[in-house]
Amino acid sequence: MTGDEPHTGPEAPAVARDPAGAQVPGQEQPPTNGETGWRRNVAGSLAFLRRRLTGDYQIDDFGYDPDFNEHVILPGLRLLYEKWFRVEALSVKNVPDTGGALLVSNHSGTIAIDALMAAVAVHDHHPAHRPLRLLGADLVFDTPVLGPLARRAGSTLACTADAEGLLNAGEVVSVFPEGFKGVGKPFSQRYRLQRFGRGGFVSAAVRTGAPIIPCSIVGAEEIYPMIADLKPLARALGLPYFPVTPTFPLLGPLGAIPLPSKWLIEFGEPIPTDHLPAGSAEDPMVVFNLADRVRETIQQSLYRLLLRRGHPFLG
Amino acid sequence: MTGRTVLVTGVTRYVASELAGRLAAHPEVDRVIGVDAAMPEPAARARMGDAEFARADIRNPLIFRVIEAAGVDTVVHASASSTPSGSAARSMAKEMNVLGTMQLLAACQRSSGVRNLVVRSTAAVYGCSPRDPAIATEETLARSVPSTGLARDAIDIEGYVRGFGRRRPDVRVAVPRFCEIIGPTVRTPLTKYFSMSPLVPLAAGRDARIQLVHESDAAALLAHLVLGTFAGIVNVAGDGAMTVAQAIHRAGRLALPVPSAALDTVGRALGLLRAGGLLELAGLAGMSGFSAFTAAQVRSLGAGRVLDTTRLRDEVGFTPKFSTVAAFDDFAARLTPAVTARTVRAAEIAVATTLRVAPEAGSPERKAPARSGWASAASMTGSAVAPVAASSAMPTEVSDEAEARPRLFSIQGSAAGSGPARSPRSGGSK
């Protein structure tokens, strides 16, 4: 798997499991029962159910459940990744093999599917099969079913304490500095990066010495083209925005199906931060300069990828 | 150097009685006086070993006389945040907790001989909102400060202790914040909750992370604080975390998701059935442990919290012998599972053979020694030997668990390609 070739999804690799049922990434072993294909999937699902019913799995301190992630969340997302959005992951090797790294991306698409697709890209197409730790908004963790599900997938609150904790532990952390401004922007503003906030993500990376990897995601803007935003309704429901797309709420629940645009996810050159002098994390000039540099890099590569993609749906 | 004279409150409960026994057996300690408003049971008395017992209510200012008369130089308020074991005791608990603490602190303040104070607090002060950071350090403040219940009491108690610290700066004050204590002997609403069989109600759509500390580790830590010189607040928890649903399944029960609004109603309904003696009739004999009170306790677990125990390891120098999962397994070993691991495995094999698919290899059996160790020790409950036997049987399992988690992040454990040490506190290895 060389870094610059586009990857469309291979079959899910057979993975070794340690006694706790958690996946040991990067190692491929033949399955223990000698089965292949759909039979192996069935046996794997039964074994997964057994582990669930006996509580024979482990979670980490943030609530990340690798067993659940591997068997429930990632397979579902993989379908979307390979068949619906036909995602091409470019230069995945820019994500380091070990150690903490901060992935900074543009955010779009009304709901945070781009975050999930980035997670699949890093997990499946990086040689080290690293799980991506997403940082999510408060809203995600407040919601009843979605909150625990997000924790099990490895995401946690977008706050400095958690971000630094994960980076110090050597995890790849993904942050979307545009936040709700990015994901709720109207279709006419597509691919124009919104403001990056106070640059808190930069401070976290500088404080822990983790490299910053700019990531550009093309294709998420077209899945739910937002043509209007019903602010009063959003306020009533406590949401940051209430999107109106060509299919939602016109077609009701069918409007929840995203349009099958063609996606490209490119990982840029890592920007190192460990050479900066001590105390840089509190220096606004350093922080803003770095944040601007990241923003510029992402914006330029967005334009480049748009040219490369061509047609948004047939690209 | 003359030995210490220690006063321990709340010795009718497990942790305090165990602590009193450990201290009494320690060479540096001259005299241990256990205090409580009620007489301790024979088991607790046995655990106390050489410690003396004085029946005194700490809400009564006469506690000062006890302190002065005995020449106490160390006070351990171990009943400060212990959870009461019954719903009727809730208002009593508030009295004991808050008012008792105030009187005890007043007595310590007046006494010139008191030099050390250890007050047990709880991690509930961090709140349990889903908007809180995933991991709480000692400096973390709760985003939604609890306004009622045990958490509120604990916050108030910590406030009084801080005030005491300001008025008596010569006294060393240590405040350990415990997560849930669990073990084969201790009785808390949580142990009652997990003892329900075969179904355990769970708030639907939520799966709280919990950390647990083993009862023997809790007593050992308190003894360590008493005999040491640490001052300040410290989080206390076993290594690692688990979710409530995972714990329920690990104990051989099945989780029953119930909308959280209905948890109270379910509790009250079960309470009524039990009062009417109808539980056995409805086949729900195993569910008698669940009351409206337990429902409140469980809901207070909220979105869960995990504690950062770097300070416990680095500054206090104490490492719990039991991880969260090991402590829970030790507790679950004395329960009768409703759904055993073997049944589930048999079901898996049966379904697999019906579909003509070869089943995957099973996971290794959970460590049997824990169960057999407890089967023999169960008859010796109350003996000081039992907890020690369990802890000596445990370390292998703890190390196995630690090795079996190569990639999971744990504040204390190893992580893949361990990054730079956490700044600014510890410079040592994790």
PDB file of all heavy atoms in Angstrom, chain A residues 33 35 39 50 54-55 57-58 61-62 131 142 144 152 162 169, chain B residues 131 134 143 205 207 209 246 250 348 356 358 366 405 407 409 411:
ATOM      1  N   ASN A  33     -10.959 -20.652  13.245  1.00  0.00           N
ATOM      2  CA  ASN A  33     -11.808 -21.804  12.944  1.00  0.00           C
ATOM      3  C   ASN A  33     -11.660 -22.274  11.506  1.00  0.00           C
ATOM      4  O   ASN A  33     -12.364 -23.167  11.067  1.00  0.00           O
ATOM      5  CB  ASN A  33     -13.274 -21.447  13.232  1.00  0.00           C
ATOM      6  CG  ASN A  33     -13.655 -20.156  12.538  1.00  0.00           C
ATOM      7  OD1 ASN A  33     -12.866 -19.582  11.785  1.00  0.00           O
ATOM      8  ND2 ASN A  33     -14.862 -19.690  12.795  1.00  0.00           N
ATOM      9  N   GLU A  35     -12.488 -20.942   8.768  1.00  0.00           N
ATOM     10  CA  GLU A  35     -13.554 -20.582   7.834  1.00  0.00           C
ATOM     11  C   GLU A  35     -13.170 -19.372   7.004  1.00  0.00           C
ATOM     12  O   GLU A  35     -12.287 -18.612   7.361  1.00  0.00           O
ATOM     13  CB  GLU A  35     -14.835 -20.258   8.637  1.00  0.00           C
ATOM     14  CG  GLU A  35     -15.350 -21.422   9.445  1.00  0.00           C
ATOM     15  CD  GLU A  35     -16.235 -22.331   8.619  1.00  0.00           C
ATOM     16  OE1 GLU A  35     -16.171 -22.239   7.377  1.00  0.00           O
ATOM     17  OE2 GLU A  35     -16.973 -23.131   9.206  1.00  0.00           O
ATOM     18  N   ARG A  39     -19.043 -17.239   6.089  1.00  0.00           N
ATOM     19  CA  ARG A  39     -19.059 -18.103   7.272  1.00  0.00           C
ATOM     20  C   ARG A  39     -18.177 -17.539   8.377  1.00  0.00           C
ATOM     21  O   ARG A  39     -18.514 -17.601   9.553  1.00  0.00           O
ATOM     22  CB  ARG A  39     -18.552 -19.501   6.911  1.00  0.00           C
ATOM     23  CG  ARG A  39     -19.509 -20.273   6.085  1.00  0.00           C
ATOM     24  CD  ARG A  39     -18.861 -21.531   5.506  1.00  0.00           C
ATOM     25  NE  ARG A  39     -19.773 -22.150   4.574  1.00  0.00           N
ATOM     26  CZ  ARG A  39     -20.795 -22.919   4.960  1.00  0.00           C
ATOM     27  NH1 ARG A  39     -21.000 -23.161   6.232  1.00  0.00           N
ATOM     28  NH2 ARG A  39     -21.616 -23.432   4.063  1.00  0.00           N
ATOM     29  N   ARG A  50     -21.176 -13.407  21.980  1.00  0.00           N
ATOM     30  CA  ARG A  50     -20.808 -14.118  23.205  1.00  0.00           C
ATOM     31  C   ARG A  50     -19.992 -13.211  24.120  1.00  0.00           C
ATOM     32  O   ARG A  50     -20.229 -13.129  25.334  1.00  0.00           O
ATOM     33  CB  ARG A  50     -20.024 -15.376  22.872  1.00  0.00           C
ATOM     34  CG  ARG A  50     -19.673 -16.176  24.116  1.00  0.00           C
ATOM     35  CD  ARG A  50     -18.313 -16.820  24.166  1.00  0.00           C
ATOM     36  NE  ARG A  50     -17.705 -17.100  22.899  1.00  0.00           N
ATOM     37  CZ  ARG A  50     -16.471 -16.748  22.566  1.00  0.00           C
ATOM     38  NH1 ARG A  50     -15.731 -16.079  23.415  1.00  0.00           N
ATOM     39  NH2 ARG A  50     -15.985 -17.046  21.390  1.00  0.00           N
ATOM     40  N   THR A  54     -21.117 -11.902  27.963  1.00  0.00           N
ATOM     41  CA  THR A  54     -20.381 -12.259  29.168  1.00  0.00           C
ATOM     42  C   THR A  54     -19.530 -11.099  29.664  1.00  0.00           C
ATOM     43  O   THR A  54     -18.780 -11.235  30.619  1.00  0.00           O
ATOM     44  CB  THR A  54     -19.461 -13.477  28.928  1.00  0.00           C
ATOM     45  OG1 THR A  54     -18.708 -13.242  27.744  1.00  0.00           O
ATOM     46  CG2 THR A  54     -20.276 -14.730  28.784  1.00  0.00           C
ATOM     47  N   GLY A  55     -19.644  -9.940  29.013  1.00  0.00           N
ATOM     48  CA  GLY A  55     -18.879  -8.779  29.459  1.00  0.00           C
ATOM     49  C   GLY A  55     -17.395  -8.971  29.290  1.00  0.00           C
ATOM     50  O   GLY A  55     -16.595  -8.401  30.019  1.00  0.00           O
ATOM     51  N   TYR A  57     -14.958  -7.991  27.357  1.00  0.00           N
ATOM     52  CA  TYR A  57     -14.262  -7.057  26.494  1.00  0.00           C
ATOM     53  C   TYR A  57     -13.727  -5.951  27.380  1.00  0.00           C
ATOM     54  O   TYR A  57     -13.994  -5.933  28.573  1.00  0.00           O
ATOM     55  CB  TYR A  57     -15.202  -6.494  25.418  1.00  0.00           C
ATOM     56  CG  TYR A  57     -16.486  -5.908  25.966  1.00  0.00           C
ATOM     57  CD1 TYR A  57     -16.601  -4.557  26.271  1.00  0.00           C
ATOM     58  CD2 TYR A  57     -17.607  -6.713  26.173  1.00  0.00           C
ATOM     59  CE1 TYR A  57     -17.767  -4.025  26.773  1.00  0.00           C
ATOM     60  CE2 TYR A  57     -18.783  -6.184  26.680  1.00  0.00           C
ATOM     61  CZ  TYR A  57     -18.868  -4.847  26.974  1.00  0.00           C
ATOM     62  OH  TYR A  57     -20.027  -4.330  27.484  1.00  0.00           O
ATOM     63  N   GLN A  58     -12.979  -5.051  26.819  1.00  0.00           N
ATOM     64  CA  GLN A  58     -12.393  -4.001  27.633  1.00  0.00           C
ATOM     65  C   GLN A  58     -12.641  -2.653  26.999  1.00  0.00           C
ATOM     66  O   GLN A  58     -12.680  -2.528  25.781  1.00  0.00           O
ATOM     67  CB  GLN A  58     -10.898  -4.226  27.765  1.00  0.00           C
ATOM     68  CG  GLN A  58     -10.610  -5.408  28.651  1.00  0.00           C
ATOM     69  CD  GLN A  58      -9.139  -5.633  28.788  1.00  0.00           C
ATOM     70  OE1 GLN A  58      -8.346  -4.935  28.181  1.00  0.00           O
ATOM     71  NE2 GLN A  58      -8.768  -6.618  29.566  1.00  0.00           N
ATOM     72  N   ASP A  61     -10.010   4.288  29.233  1.00  0.00           N
ATOM     73  CA  ASP A  61     -10.521   5.282  30.176  1.00  0.00           C
ATOM     74  C   ASP A  61     -11.498   6.258  29.546  1.00  0.00           C
ATOM     75  O   ASP A  61     -12.313   6.858  30.232  1.00  0.00           O
ATOM     76  CB  ASP A  61      -9.359   6.066  30.800  1.00  0.00           C
ATOM     77  CG  ASP A  61      -8.628   5.231  31.837  1.00  0.00           C
ATOM     78  OD1 ASP A  61      -9.110   4.150  32.184  1.00  0.00           O
ATOM     79  OD2 ASP A  61      -7.551   5.676  32.299  1.00  0.00           O
ATOM     80  N   PHE A  62     -11.423   6.429  28.229  1.00  0.00           N
ATOM     81  CA  PHE A  62     -12.345   7.370  27.580  1.00  0.00           C
ATOM     82  C   PHE A  62     -13.625   6.679  27.143  1.00  0.00           C
ATOM     83  O   PHE A  62     -14.493   7.311  26.584  1.00  0.00           O
ATOM     84  CB  PHE A  62     -11.670   7.996  26.348  1.00  0.00           C
ATOM     85  CG  PHE A  62     -10.574   8.941  26.708  1.00  0.00           C
ATOM     86  CD1 PHE A  62      -9.275   8.498  26.835  1.00  0.00           C
ATOM     87  CD2 PHE A  62     -10.838  10.283  26.927  1.00  0.00           C
ATOM     88  CE1 PHE A  62      -8.260   9.360  27.178  1.00  0.00           C
ATOM     89  CE2 PHE A  62      -9.831  11.158  27.263  1.00  0.00           C
ATOM     90  CZ  PHE A  62      -8.539  10.693  27.382  1.00  0.00           C
ATOM     91  N   PRO A 131      -6.583   3.526  15.074  1.00  0.00           N
ATOM     92  CA  PRO A 131      -7.930   4.048  15.312  1.00  0.00           C
ATOM     93  C   PRO A 131      -7.868   5.564  15.473  1.00  0.00           C
ATOM     94  O   PRO A 131      -6.971   6.082  16.108  1.00  0.00           O
ATOM     95  CB  PRO A 131      -8.354   3.378  16.618  1.00  0.00           C
ATOM     96  CG  PRO A 131      -7.088   3.027  17.300  1.00  0.00           C
ATOM     97  CD  PRO A 131      -6.033   2.854  16.256  1.00  0.00           C
ATOM     98  N   ASP A 142     -24.545  14.572  24.740  1.00  0.00           N
ATOM     99  CA  ASP A 142     -25.791  14.758  25.473  1.00  0.00           C
ATOM    100  C   ASP A 142     -26.882  13.830  24.970  1.00  0.00           C
ATOM    101  O   ASP A 142     -27.775  13.435  25.707  1.00  0.00           O
ATOM    102  CB  ASP A 142     -26.288  16.200  25.300  1.00  0.00           C
ATOM    103  CG  ASP A 142     -25.699  17.113  26.342  1.00  0.00           C
ATOM    104  OD1 ASP A 142     -25.147  16.606  27.327  1.00  0.00           O
ATOM    105  OD2 ASP A 142     -25.815  18.343  26.178  1.00  0.00           O
ATOM    106  N   PRO A 144     -29.057  10.754  23.957  1.00  0.00           N
ATOM    107  CA  PRO A 144     -29.071   9.444  24.625  1.00  0.00           C
ATOM    108  C   PRO A 144     -28.343   8.311  23.911  1.00  0.00           C
ATOM    109  O   PRO A 144     -27.360   7.827  24.424  1.00  0.00           O
ATOM    110  CB  PRO A 144     -30.556   9.117  24.757  1.00  0.00           C
ATOM    111  CG  PRO A 144     -31.218  10.418  24.810  1.00  0.00           C
ATOM    112  CD  PRO A 144     -30.403  11.355  23.977  1.00  0.00           C
ATOM    113  N   ARG A 152     -18.002   4.700  22.424  1.00  0.00           N
ATOM    114  CA  ARG A 152     -17.491   3.363  22.098  1.00  0.00           C
ATOM    115  C   ARG A 152     -16.649   3.399  20.840  1.00  0.00           C
ATOM    116  O   ARG A 152     -15.754   2.587  20.656  1.00  0.00           O
ATOM    117  CB  ARG A 152     -18.653   2.390  21.898  1.00  0.00           C
ATOM    118  CG  ARG A 152     -19.192   1.941  23.195  1.00  0.00           C
ATOM    119  CD  ARG A 152     -20.014   0.702  23.089  1.00  0.00           C
ATOM    120  NE  ARG A 152     -20.985   0.746  24.166  1.00  0.00           N
ATOM    121  CZ  ARG A 152     -22.255   0.489  24.032  1.00  0.00           C
ATOM    122  NH1 ARG A 152     -22.728   0.143  22.868  1.00  0.00           N
ATOM    123  NH2 ARG A 152     -23.054   0.574  25.069  1.00  0.00           N
ATOM    124  N   ASP A 162      -9.145  16.581  27.469  1.00  0.00           N
ATOM    125  CA  ASP A 162      -9.218  15.281  26.811  1.00  0.00           C
ATOM    126  C   ASP A 162      -8.273  15.208  25.621  1.00  0.00           C
ATOM    127  O   ASP A 162      -7.634  14.185  25.381  1.00  0.00           O
ATOM    128  CB  ASP A 162     -10.655  15.007  26.352  1.00  0.00           C
ATOM    129  CG  ASP A 162     -11.541  14.573  27.511  1.00  0.00           C
ATOM    130  OD1 ASP A 162     -11.015  14.417  28.624  1.00  0.00           O
ATOM    131  OD2 ASP A 162     -12.752  14.401  27.295  1.00  0.00           O
ATOM    132  N   ALA A 169      -1.049  10.177  25.281  1.00  0.00           N
ATOM    133  CA  ALA A 169      -1.056   8.724  25.266  1.00  0.00           C
ATOM    134  C   ALA A 169      -0.661   8.175  23.914  1.00  0.00           C
ATOM    135  O   ALA A 169      -0.630   6.964  23.721  1.00  0.00           O
ATOM    136  CB  ALA A 169      -2.440   8.214  25.632  1.00  0.00           C
TER     137      ALA A 169
ATOM    138  N   ARG B 131     -21.248  16.374  29.635  1.00  0.00           N
ATOM    139  CA  ARG B 131     -20.439  17.449  29.082  1.00  0.00           C
ATOM    140  C   ARG B 131     -19.131  17.635  29.827  1.00  0.00           C
ATOM    141  O   ARG B 131     -18.375  18.553  29.553  1.00  0.00           O
ATOM    142  CB  ARG B 131     -21.207  18.769  29.141  1.00  0.00           C
ATOM    143  CG  ARG B 131     -22.373  18.765  28.215  1.00  0.00           C
ATOM    144  CD  ARG B 131     -23.337  19.889  28.528  1.00  0.00           C
ATOM    145  NE  ARG B 131     -24.362  19.938  27.512  1.00  0.00           N
ATOM    146  CZ  ARG B 131     -24.512  20.933  26.666  1.00  0.00           C
ATOM    147  NH1 ARG B 131     -23.709  21.960  26.728  1.00  0.00           N
ATOM    148  NH2 ARG B 131     -25.457  20.900  25.773  1.00  0.00           N
ATOM    149  N   ALA B 134     -13.653  13.658  29.868  1.00  0.00           N
ATOM    150  CA  ALA B 134     -13.768  12.228  30.131  1.00  0.00           C
ATOM    151  C   ALA B 134     -13.026  11.813  31.385  1.00  0.00           C
ATOM    152  O   ALA B 134     -13.444  10.906  32.095  1.00  0.00           O
ATOM    153  CB  ALA B 134     -13.236  11.451  28.931  1.00  0.00           C
ATOM    154  N   ARG B 143     -18.967  20.562  35.752  1.00  0.00           N
ATOM    155  CA  ARG B 143     -19.673  21.560  34.943  1.00  0.00           C
ATOM    156  C   ARG B 143     -21.073  21.786  35.472  1.00  0.00           C
ATOM    157  O   ARG B 143     -21.582  22.895  35.490  1.00  0.00           O
ATOM    158  CB  ARG B 143     -19.760  21.074  33.485  1.00  0.00           C
ATOM    159  CG  ARG B 143     -18.918  21.913  32.590  1.00  0.00           C
ATOM    160  CD  ARG B 143     -19.475  21.979  31.237  1.00  0.00           C
ATOM    161  NE  ARG B 143     -18.474  21.546  30.265  1.00  0.00           N
ATOM    162  CZ  ARG B 143     -18.585  21.695  28.971  1.00  0.00           C
ATOM    163  NH1 ARG B 143     -19.656  22.242  28.479  1.00  0.00           N
ATOM    164  NH2 ARG B 143     -17.649  21.282  28.172  1.00  0.00           N
ATOM    165  N   GLY B 205     -30.240   3.902  26.626  1.00  0.00           N
ATOM    166  CA  GLY B 205     -29.546   4.930  25.869  1.00  0.00           C
ATOM    167  C   GLY B 205     -28.352   5.526  26.576  1.00  0.00           C
ATOM    168  O   GLY B 205     -27.714   6.424  26.062  1.00  0.00           O
ATOM    169  N   ASP B 207     -24.751   4.484  28.878  1.00  0.00           N
ATOM    170  CA  ASP B 207     -23.907   3.405  29.362  1.00  0.00           C
ATOM    171  C   ASP B 207     -22.746   4.033  30.105  1.00  0.00           C
ATOM    172  O   ASP B 207     -21.722   4.349  29.513  1.00  0.00           O
ATOM    173  CB  ASP B 207     -23.425   2.538  28.183  1.00  0.00           C
ATOM    174  CG  ASP B 207     -22.958   1.182  28.652  1.00  0.00           C
ATOM    175  OD1 ASP B 207     -23.150   0.872  29.843  1.00  0.00           O
ATOM    176  OD2 ASP B 207     -22.393   0.437  27.836  1.00  0.00           O
ATOM    177  N   ARG B 209     -19.516   4.918  32.246  1.00  0.00           N
ATOM    178  CA  ARG B 209     -18.229   4.312  32.609  1.00  0.00           C
ATOM    179  C   ARG B 209     -18.111   4.401  34.128  1.00  0.00           C
ATOM    180  O   ARG B 209     -18.398   5.432  34.724  1.00  0.00           O
ATOM    181  CB  ARG B 209     -17.063   5.099  32.008  1.00  0.00           C
ATOM    182  CG  ARG B 209     -16.956   5.055  30.509  1.00  0.00           C
ATOM    183  CD  ARG B 209     -16.034   6.157  30.026  1.00  0.00           C
ATOM    184  NE  ARG B 209     -16.604   7.456  30.305  1.00  0.00           N
ATOM    185  CZ  ARG B 209     -15.915   8.526  30.619  1.00  0.00           C
ATOM    186  NH1 ARG B 209     -14.605   8.471  30.685  1.00  0.00           N
ATOM    187  NH2 ARG B 209     -16.523   9.665  30.848  1.00  0.00           N
ATOM    188  N   GLN B 246     -21.449  -3.618  30.867  1.00  0.00           N
ATOM    189  CA  GLN B 246     -20.416  -4.647  30.873  1.00  0.00           C
ATOM    190  C   GLN B 246     -20.361  -5.326  32.223  1.00  0.00           C
ATOM    191  O   GLN B 246     -20.224  -6.553  32.322  1.00  0.00           O
ATOM    192  CB  GLN B 246     -19.077  -3.997  30.541  1.00  0.00           C
ATOM    193  CG  GLN B 246     -17.928  -4.961  30.548  1.00  0.00           C
ATOM    194  CD  GLN B 246     -16.597  -4.258  30.336  1.00  0.00           C
ATOM    195  OE1 GLN B 246     -16.534  -3.047  30.265  1.00  0.00           O
ATOM    196  NE2 GLN B 246     -15.551  -5.031  30.229  1.00  0.00           N
ATOM    197  N   ARG B 250     -20.922  -9.160  33.056  1.00  0.00           N
ATOM    198  CA  ARG B 250     -19.813  -9.889  33.648  1.00  0.00           C
ATOM    199  C   ARG B 250     -20.234 -10.623  34.906  1.00  0.00           C
ATOM    200  O   ARG B 250     -19.670 -11.655  35.252  1.00  0.00           O
ATOM    201  CB  ARG B 250     -18.679  -8.929  33.987  1.00  0.00           C
ATOM    202  CG  ARG B 250     -17.363  -9.468  33.587  1.00  0.00           C
ATOM    203  CD  ARG B 250     -16.299  -8.403  33.738  1.00  0.00           C
ATOM    204  NE  ARG B 250     -15.030  -9.048  33.941  1.00  0.00           N
ATOM    205  CZ  ARG B 250     -14.191  -9.363  32.960  1.00  0.00           C
ATOM    206  NH1 ARG B 250     -14.487  -9.060  31.729  1.00  0.00           N
ATOM    207  NH2 ARG B 250     -13.068  -9.980  33.229  1.00  0.00           N
ATOM    208  N   GLU B 348     -23.660 -20.337  21.739  1.00  0.00           N
ATOM    209  CA  GLU B 348     -22.938 -19.909  20.532  1.00  0.00           C
ATOM    210  C   GLU B 348     -22.604 -21.120  19.678  1.00  0.00           C
ATOM    211  O   GLU B 348     -22.799 -21.118  18.458  1.00  0.00           O
ATOM    212  CB  GLU B 348     -21.653 -19.170  20.932  1.00  0.00           C
ATOM    213  CG  GLU B 348     -20.808 -18.754  19.737  1.00  0.00           C
ATOM    214  CD  GLU B 348     -19.367 -18.447  20.116  1.00  0.00           C
ATOM    215  OE1 GLU B 348     -19.037 -18.540  21.312  1.00  0.00           O
ATOM    216  OE2 GLU B 348     -18.579 -18.128  19.216  1.00  0.00           O
ATOM    217  N   ARG B 356     -24.211 -24.572  10.314  1.00  0.00           N
ATOM    218  CA  ARG B 356     -23.092 -25.290   9.684  1.00  0.00           C
ATOM    219  C   ARG B 356     -21.878 -24.390   9.500  1.00  0.00           C
ATOM    220  O   ARG B 356     -21.279 -24.330   8.439  1.00  0.00           O
ATOM    221  CB  ARG B 356     -23.515 -25.902   8.344  1.00  0.00           C
ATOM    222  CG  ARG B 356     -24.563 -26.949   8.527  1.00  0.00           C
ATOM    223  CD  ARG B 356     -24.674 -27.839   7.293  1.00  0.00           C
ATOM    224  NE  ARG B 356     -26.074 -28.108   7.008  1.00  0.00           N
ATOM    225  CZ  ARG B 356     -26.843 -28.938   7.716  1.00  0.00           C
ATOM    226  NH1 ARG B 356     -26.356 -29.572   8.742  1.00  0.00           N
ATOM    227  NH2 ARG B 356     -28.104 -29.126   7.406  1.00  0.00           N
ATOM    228  N   ALA B 358     -18.256 -23.298  11.585  1.00  0.00           N
ATOM    229  CA  ALA B 358     -17.415 -23.675  12.727  1.00  0.00           C
ATOM    230  C   ALA B 358     -17.271 -22.486  13.655  1.00  0.00           C
ATOM    231  O   ALA B 358     -16.923 -21.395  13.219  1.00  0.00           O
ATOM    232  CB  ALA B 358     -16.035 -24.118  12.224  1.00  0.00           C
ATOM    233  N   ARG B 366     -12.157 -17.311  32.810  1.00  0.00           N
ATOM    234  CA  ARG B 366     -11.708 -16.335  33.799  1.00  0.00           C
ATOM    235  C   ARG B 366     -11.055 -17.063  34.950  1.00  0.00           C
ATOM    236  O   ARG B 366     -11.457 -18.160  35.297  1.00  0.00           O
ATOM    237  CB  ARG B 366     -12.903 -15.538  34.309  1.00  0.00           C
ATOM    238  CG  ARG B 366     -12.887 -14.140  33.759  1.00  0.00           C
ATOM    239  CD  ARG B 366     -14.119 -13.395  34.118  1.00  0.00           C
ATOM    240  NE  ARG B 366     -14.963 -13.193  32.981  1.00  0.00           N
ATOM    241  CZ  ARG B 366     -16.252 -12.912  33.085  1.00  0.00           C
ATOM    242  NH1 ARG B 366     -16.826 -12.852  34.243  1.00  0.00           N
ATOM    243  NH2 ARG B 366     -16.970 -12.715  32.010  1.00  0.00           N
ATOM    244  N   ARG B 405      -3.827  -5.746  27.163  1.00  0.00           N
ATOM    245  CA  ARG B 405      -4.414  -4.537  26.605  1.00  0.00           C
ATOM    246  C   ARG B 405      -3.332  -3.760  25.890  1.00  0.00           C
ATOM    247  O   ARG B 405      -2.968  -2.688  26.314  1.00  0.00           O
ATOM    248  CB  ARG B 405      -5.000  -3.667  27.725  1.00  0.00           C
ATOM    249  CG  ARG B 405      -6.192  -4.291  28.403  1.00  0.00           C
ATOM    250  CD  ARG B 405      -6.892  -3.240  29.230  1.00  0.00           C
ATOM    251  NE  ARG B 405      -6.048  -2.792  30.328  1.00  0.00           N
ATOM    252  CZ  ARG B 405      -6.276  -1.693  31.034  1.00  0.00           C
ATOM    253  NH1 ARG B 405      -7.293  -0.937  30.744  1.00  0.00           N
ATOM    254  NH2 ARG B 405      -5.487  -1.346  32.007  1.00  0.00           N
ATOM    255  N   ARG B 407      -3.185  -1.989  23.184  1.00  0.00           N
ATOM    256  CA  ARG B 407      -3.389  -0.742  22.507  1.00  0.00           C
ATOM    257  C   ARG B 407      -4.323   0.203  23.222  1.00  0.00           C
ATOM    258  O   ARG B 407      -4.551   1.291  22.786  1.00  0.00           O
ATOM    259  CB  ARG B 407      -3.955  -1.011  21.114  1.00  0.00           C
ATOM    260  CG  ARG B 407      -2.870  -1.230  20.100  1.00  0.00           C
ATOM    261  CD  ARG B 407      -3.431  -1.112  18.722  1.00  0.00           C
ATOM    262  NE  ARG B 407      -3.957   0.217  18.463  1.00  0.00           N
ATOM    263  CZ  ARG B 407      -3.203   1.251  18.137  1.00  0.00           C
ATOM    264  NH1 ARG B 407      -1.921   1.123  18.009  1.00  0.00           N
ATOM    265  NH2 ARG B 407      -3.741   2.421  17.902  1.00  0.00           N
ATOM    266  N   PHE B 409      -5.795   2.848  25.737  1.00  0.00           N
ATOM    267  CA  PHE B 409      -5.236   3.946  26.488  1.00  0.00           C
ATOM    268  C   PHE B 409      -5.711   3.872  27.920  1.00  0.00           C
ATOM    269  O   PHE B 409      -6.884   3.770  28.181  1.00  0.00           O
ATOM    270  CB  PHE B 409      -5.686   5.273  25.891  1.00  0.00           C
ATOM    271  CG  PHE B 409      -5.405   6.437  26.782  1.00  0.00           C
ATOM    272  CD1 PHE B 409      -4.118   6.744  27.157  1.00  0.00           C
ATOM    273  CD2 PHE B 409      -6.439   7.208  27.276  1.00  0.00           C
ATOM    274  CE1 PHE B 409      -3.859   7.817  27.989  1.00  0.00           C
ATOM    275  CE2 PHE B 409      -6.182   8.286  28.109  1.00  0.00           C
ATOM    276  CZ  PHE B 409      -4.892   8.585  28.457  1.00  0.00           C
ATOM    277  N   ILE B 411      -4.614   5.851  31.620  1.00  0.00           N
ATOM    278  CA  ILE B 411      -3.744   6.886  32.160  1.00  0.00           C
ATOM    279  C   ILE B 411      -2.497   6.281  32.760  1.00  0.00           C
ATOM    280  O   ILE B 411      -1.409   6.770  32.593  1.00  0.00           O
ATOM    281  CB  ILE B 411      -4.480   7.695  33.242  1.00  0.00           C
ATOM    282  CG1 ILE B 411      -5.628   8.480  32.624  1.00  0.00           C
ATOM    283  CG2 ILE B 411      -3.529   8.619  33.925  1.00  0.00           C
ATOM    284  CD1 ILE B 411      -5.224   9.758  31.978  1.00  0.00           C
TER     285      ILE B 411
END
